[in-house]
Amino acid sequence: RPISDTSINAICSTIGVISLLFNVFCLVSLLNLRAIYARNIFVILILLQVVYLAQNLHFTLLYVPFMYMPVSGGYCIGLLCQQGRIPFLAHHSLCIFLIVNLCGLFTLLLLFRHQNLMRALSRFKLERRASRVVSLLLVLGINTLPIRYSITSYLLDPADQEGLLRKLCPSCDWVERLRNFGVQDSGDVIVNGGIILVTVFAYSTIGFLISGHICRVIAQYRWQSLSYGSRVKIRQTLQSLVQYFSFIIFLAVPTLLFMALQFHHFEDDSVVLLPSVFLFSLNSLAHSTLLVANTPPMRERARR
């Protein structure tokens, strides 16, 4: 690897600290700007910042993982990974939980933005009870994977990990280098892979359908005389769309890079792993930056 673990941790920690400052600034600003948001939108925005803050601290400071799809696992070098303080699989369970709940919260944000744009008599307008049921189902559905992964990881015998690694990757030197690693057997991988495929397909479909209909409604509003409140609502909705697709990009690109190891042999896997880790570390910072850039009161506060 071209740079040492210490240098990688230093880069990720720097990104993490900068992201933390932006996270805290956005969180405090949102609390002060509560009046400009609908109640349901405000709750989701606050939850997004809180989960992003936790995900950023965990990923960039405590975890810093290197994932190897061919062995359905990997190792980590963060502060709480060194000397095996917390097992890799426990870290990975928390990482999956935070990421999928970010996905769920963004889906809910789009749903609520969509509902706030709908007129009272629109056939796409959900009743309050129906909206709550749909929201609950979305949250429960997205957490299927982390719940199952956490249970199966807890049931794995740590003593079997070395033998399983030797079986799946004879050339891996993680044991000799005292890496904090974890792998799962093929049965769990198949089930988890199936859950991932179904979840990604379902939530991507929901997200793109809602996004498409939002764009259609906003296009129709362009030719109408709108109040100041309606214009603000449309601007905030467009901001949420930009944040949603930014999240998808910063999640999809590192994941695809990790997956490249499954289909192509690299003489030096750092050309794939390092960009993946650094790109994913920037996810929280990108979200907070977009939030500040697209929220005039936050921009003014930041300039002061």
Side-chain angles (χ1 to χ4, degrees):
R1 184 172 296 151
I3 57 177
S4 65
D5 289 355
T6 302
S7 299
I8 295 169
N9 272 327
I11 295 171
C12 288
S13 297
T14 302
I15 295 172
V17 171
I18 295 172
S19 300
L20 175 62
L21 296 176
F22 274 78
N23 282 141
V24 173
F25 173 79
C26 290
L27 188 57
V28 173
S29 297
L30 283 171
L31 291 172
N32 291 330
L33 296 173
R34 179 175 182 173
I36 71 172
Y37 296 104
R39 183 176 180 275
N40 56 353
I41 301 296
F42 173 76
V43 170
I44 296 298
L45 290 176
I46 290 294
L47 288 175
L48 270 173
Q49 284 303 133
V50 170
V51 177
Y52 255 128
L53 191 151
Q55 182 272 331
N56 168 62
L57 286 177
H58 178 251
F59 189 90
T60 61
L61 298 174
L62 309 178
Y63 185 30
V64 191
F66 289 85
M67 299 302 301
Y68 290 78
M69 295 298 179
V71 299
S72 304
Y75 64 86
C76 55
I77 61 172
L79 293 177
L80 290 184
C81 282
Q82 297 169 11
Q83 288 83 48
R85 292 188 178 97
I86 296 178
F88 170 87
L89 291 176
H91 275 294
H92 199 53
S93 298
L94 176 59
C95 184
I96 292 174
F97 172 78
L98 293 172
I99 292 170
V100 301
N101 277 284
L102 284 174
C103 294
L105 287 170
F106 270 112
T107 305
L108 288 178
L109 180 61
L110 288 185
L111 174 65
F112 292 161
R113 289 293 194 195
H114 176 267
Q115 289 299 297
N116 287 353
L117 283 179
M118 295 299 103
R119 300 187 189 280
L121 299 179
S122 172
R123 61 193 176 109
F124 295 103
K125 184 75 170 178
L126 297 175
E127 296 180 355
R128 179 172 297 182
R129 181 177 297 179
S131 179
R132 289 176 178 174
V133 171
V134 171
S135 301
L136 180 61
L137 290 176
L138 287 172
V139 171
L140 292 176
I142 201 73
N143 279 285
T144 303
L145 176 62
I147 290 173
R148 187 187 188 281
Y149 189 91
S150 299
I151 293 172
T152 55
S153 297
Y154 177 78
L155 295 176
L156 286 174
D157 187 349
D160 296 335
Q161 286 289 290
E162 182 176 343
L164 189 56
L165 177 65
R166 298 296 186 198
K167 174 184 175 182
L168 296 173
C169 183
S171 63
C172 291
D173 61 352
W174 302 347
V175 176
E176 291 76 13
R177 300 185 65 184
L178 302 178
R179 295 293 194 188
N180 185 349
F181 71 92
V183 293
Q184 291 203 331
D185 60 36
S186 57
D188 287 328
V189 172
I190 292 172
V191 176
N192 290 337
I195 295 174
I196 291 172
L197 288 176
V198 172
T199 304
V200 169
F201 175 77
Y203 283 78
S204 297
T205 301
I206 293 170
F208 283 112
L209 286 176
I210 293 175
S211 300
H213 194 250
I214 285 175
C215 292
R216 180 182 177 186
V217 170
I218 291 176
Q220 292 173 345
Y221 283 163
R222 287 179 59 192
W223 311 109
Q224 300 177 19
S225 178
L226 300 174
S227 64
Y228 173 76
S230 295
R231 291 196 300 272
V232 170
K233 190 183 297 183
I234 289 174
R235 187 179 69 245
Q236 292 177 347
T237 301
L238 290 173
Q239 169 190 317
S240 295
L241 285 175
V242 172
Q243 291 172 322
Y244 171 74
F245 285 107
S246 170
F247 169 73
I248 294 297
I249 291 170
F250 278 93
L251 177 61
V253 173
T255 301
L256 291 174
L257 288 174
F258 279 133
M259 291 177 64
L261 293 174
Q262 179 77 37
F263 305 104
H264 183 76
H265 174 71
F266 294 89
E267 291 295 329
D268 181 7
D269 56 21
S270 299
V271 300
V272 171
L273 294 177
L274 289 179
S276 302
V277 171
F278 295 147
L279 274 174
F280 198 83
S281 299
L282 292 168
N283 198 332
S284 176
L285 182 59
H287 171 78
S288 297
T289 302
L290 285 172
L291 184 60
V292 173
N294 292 295
T295 308
M298 284 193 190
R299 284 204 309 270
E300 294 301 319
R301 184 184 294 265
R303 287 170 181 169
R304 293 199 300 267

